Amino acid sequence: MATRLAWWSFRAPQSHPCCRRLRHRFLPLLLRAGTPLAGPVSVRLGSSPAAAWRGALVRSGGFVGGRWVQAAAAFPVRDPASGAELSQVADCGVAEARAAVRAAYEAGVAWSQVPAKERSALLRKWYNLMIEHKEDLAKIITAENGKPLKEAHGEILYSASFLEWFAEEARRVYGDIIPPSSKDRRILALKQPVGVAAIITPWNFPSAMITRKVGAALAAGCTVVVKPAEDTPLSALALAELANQAGIPAGVYNVVPCSRQQAAAVGEVLCTDPLVAKISFTGSTATGKILLRHAAGTVKRVSMELGGHAPFIVFDSADVDKAVAGALASKYRNSGQTCVCTNRFLVQKGIHDAFVDRFAQAIKKELRVGNGFDEGTTQGPLINEKAVEKVERHIHDAVSQGASVVTGGKRHCYGKNFFEPTLLSNVTPGMLCTQEETFGPLAPVIKFDTEEEALAIANSADVGLAGAMFIGVYVYIKDSEFMI
């Protein structure tokens, strides 16, 4: 039976005159040489733009072995813009995780033998369904993640593109003929699926991070168990519904949503179960280290995309307006909650003051804080209050050591998870915001003198998405824009 959720209009306190009335809307390397249906949740959102979203894509159960399953308990999924409950989702634990791994392992026997052309066709059907339901999928992202609907639309197209790409790549899993050392020998290398892949994904791209990993795995002939972030499980479950409609066989794509309380136990199962052959994780460096320790016991293949701390370097010869436009785009997408967002702005002293002044003007002119469903919003809420507190901690630490707040600097009156786009000047490399990834709408500017000084600061971080060998650095110089 469908569950209908009531929704309300919210009125801001009189102490916040700026907010009069709030109406809530809602191939990594994967190749080697009798439970009842959990009913759909339909949602009534009054006259909001989200009212037309397709309730049939919103599911409340886990998806294991081609069936929707419930767990002994459920956990709430909340709208980060208001804190209102969107849905209760099955809180899968160790038992459900093991069942999902077993289902994936058993399904893998047949799936690995499916001809590449057929796997390609099924992935293409899944892609087509994503495009058909792109509006509904985007609204789910905005409801549970908070990002502006325009950004959510972009994510769905980006997400679907991975299925499209790997639908074609499935046909191209070629082997190799290797020149032998002896003339009476012939060496052939055949590529085969590794088996079950455990996919652990973050909340900031709740759809794209799944299809990027799952599309590759299924194309290669692997089966998967997805553990989505506890803040954003609805997108993963909507993808499961569409995968099922596309005809992806039972057990090939499994989803085990769980609460924050169950996350460690479920993650440990996925990393230690001997039936799992591969781990793919996107998230924090600290969590990645824990998963690596778990995976070491059974020597699993592991792919990880961990924390970033990208610097953005502006030299005296730069076009200031172009640099500012690039700074806005690289810092404030998804309210600063992307792993490749610039975390440190390094600006040469000759252009520093002009850059800071124009950057502040652009922030005030171009960025609009609001509910993700409201037209014109560019800055939605942060994912939860813990994220807001981290931004506040970084600002407080910087100001206590001499940094200046040029604009922003505090929570926005729109709600407790909203934060003003913030620009700091007089920042030094010893401050917390230059040592840790903020993951929020905070832009600290460090003044430098020479190129050598800038490179030393840029390379002082111990994290980088491309590893120790490379750190993504956005560099603006005259007549050229490129990324090192």
Side-chain angles (χ1 to χ4, degrees), residues 201-264:
T201 56
W203 49 262
N204 59 337
F205 287 91
S207 181
M209 291 300 98
I210 292 174
T211 57
R212 184 172 75 168
K213 300 172 187 292
V214 170
L218 269 57
C222 298
T223 56
V224 300
V225 177
V226 177
K227 192 208 84 63
E230 55 270 17
D231 291 302
T232 56
L234 299 180
S235 290
L237 297 173
L239 288 174
E241 172 62 30
L242 294 180
N244 197 36
Q245 291 181 22
I248 303 295
V252 172
Y253 177 80
N254 305 275
V255 184
V256 283
C258 66
S259 65
R260 186 168 279 102
Q261 291 71 29
Q262 293 273 31

Side-chain angles (χ1 to χ4, degrees), residues 77-354:
V77 179
R78 299 190 180 279
D79 169 18
S82 69
E85 184 177 298
L86 297 172
S87 178
Q88 287 278 332
V89 172
D91 193 2
C92 296
V94 170
E96 290 80 12
R98 293 200 184 282
V101 170
R102 171 61 64 177
Y105 181 78
E106 292 175 352
V109 176
W111 181 249
S112 65
Q113 299 303 311
V114 171
K117 183 178 180 180
E118 293 182 26
R119 294 201 301 268
S120 173
L122 288 170
L123 285 169
R124 184 73 193 197
K125 288 181 182 178
W126 195 5
Y127 161 78
N128 289 337
L129 285 170
M130 283 196 70
I131 297 302
E132 179 182 342
H133 296 283
K134 62 184 179 181
E135 294 294 329
D136 305 318
L137 293 169
K139 289 173 183 175
I140 291 173
I141 288 178
T142 295
E144 66 177 347
N145 169 277
K147 67 175 60 177
L149 190 57
K150 183 178 180 180
E151 286 191 25
H153 283 144
E155 179 179 345
I156 292 303
L157 294 178
Y158 179 55
S159 177
S161 74
F162 289 116
L163 297 183
E164 181 183 36
W165 172 266
F166 288 114
E168 298 302 320
E169 290 301 297
R171 302 168 180 262
R172 302 184 178 94
V173 183
Y174 303 132
D176 291 298
I177 299 177
I178 303 170
S181 58
S182 301
K183 62 181 179 181
D184 61 342
R185 304 278 180 89
R186 178 169 292 181
I187 303 174
L188 305 178
L190 302 178
K191 296 180 180 179
Q192 298 177 329
V194 299
V196 178
I199 309 297
I200 304 175
T201 56
W203 49 262
N204 59 337
F205 287 91
S207 181
M209 291 300 98
I210 292 174
T211 57
R212 184 172 75 168
K213 300 172 187 292
V214 170
L218 269 57
C222 298
T223 56
V224 300
V225 177
V226 177
K227 192 208 84 63
E230 55 270 17
D231 291 302
T232 56
L234 299 180
S235 290
L237 297 173
L239 288 174
E241 172 62 30
L242 294 180
N244 197 36
Q245 291 181 22
I248 303 295
V252 172
Y253 177 80
N254 305 275
V255 184
V256 283
C258 66
S259 65
R260 186 168 279 102
Q261 291 71 29
Q262 293 273 31
V266 170
E268 183 173 355
V269 167
L270 297 180
C271 289
T272 58
D273 194 306
L275 299 183
V276 175
K278 167 79 181 183
I279 306 293
S280 181
F281 169 72
T282 297
S284 73
T285 302
T287 300
K289 291 178 180 179
I290 294 171
L291 298 180
L292 281 169
R293 285 196 293 269
H294 288 323
T298 47
V299 196
K300 300 190 190 302
R301 298 166 179 81
V302 177
S303 295
M304 294 197 171
E305 180 188 2
L306 305 178
H309 200 46
F312 184 111
I313 302 176
V314 184
F315 288 100
D316 284 344
S317 60
D319 181 310
V320 178
D321 291 332
K322 287 184 177 181
V324 167
L328 277 176
S330 71
K331 173 70 255 183
Y332 293 108
R333 181 166 61 116
N334 196 18
S335 298
Q337 299 174 113
T338 78
C339 53
V340 294
C341 272
T342 297
N343 215 60
R344 300 167 292 159
F345 289 86
L346 282 59
V347 184
Q348 201 162 18
K349 65 178 184 180
I351 202 174
H352 173 274
D353 292 351

Side-chain angles (χ1 to χ4, degrees), residues 318-397:
D319 181 310
V320 178
D321 291 332
K322 287 184 177 181
V324 167
L328 277 176
S330 71
K331 173 70 255 183
Y332 293 108
R333 181 166 61 116
N334 196 18
S335 298
Q337 299 174 113
T338 78
C339 53
V340 294
C341 272
T342 297
N343 215 60
R344 300 167 292 159
F345 289 86
L346 282 59
V347 184
Q348 201 162 18
K349 65 178 184 180
I351 202 174
H352 173 274
D353 292 351
F355 176 86
V356 170
D357 180 62
R358 295 190 202 178
F359 196 9
Q361 293 177 32
I363 289 171
K364 295 173 184 176
K365 179 181 178 182
E366 302 293 337
L367 303 183
R368 176 186 168 189
V369 177
N371 189 289
F373 283 112
D374 292 341
E375 186 176 354
T377 292
T378 65
Q379 305 291 288
L382 299 191
I383 190 64
N384 51 42
E385 192 164 14
K386 184 179 178 181
V388 176
E389 290 170 352
K390 185 176 185 180
V391 177
E392 289 179 323
R393 185 168 67 253
H394 280 192
I395 293 173
H396 179 267
D397 172 80

Side-chain angles (χ1 to χ4, degrees), residues 312-314 316 344-356 424-429 431 434 444-451 453-454 457:
F312 184 111
I313 302 176
V314 184
D316 284 344
R344 300 167 292 159
F345 289 86
L346 282 59
V347 184
Q348 201 162 18
K349 65 178 184 180
I351 202 174
H352 173 274
D353 292 351
F355 176 86
V356 170
L424 299 181
S425 64
N426 300 321
V427 175
T428 59
M431 297 174 181
T434 69
V445 179
I446 302 170
K447 184 189 295 186
F448 72 88
D449 188 7
T450 66
E451 177 182 339
E453 180 187 0
I457 295 171

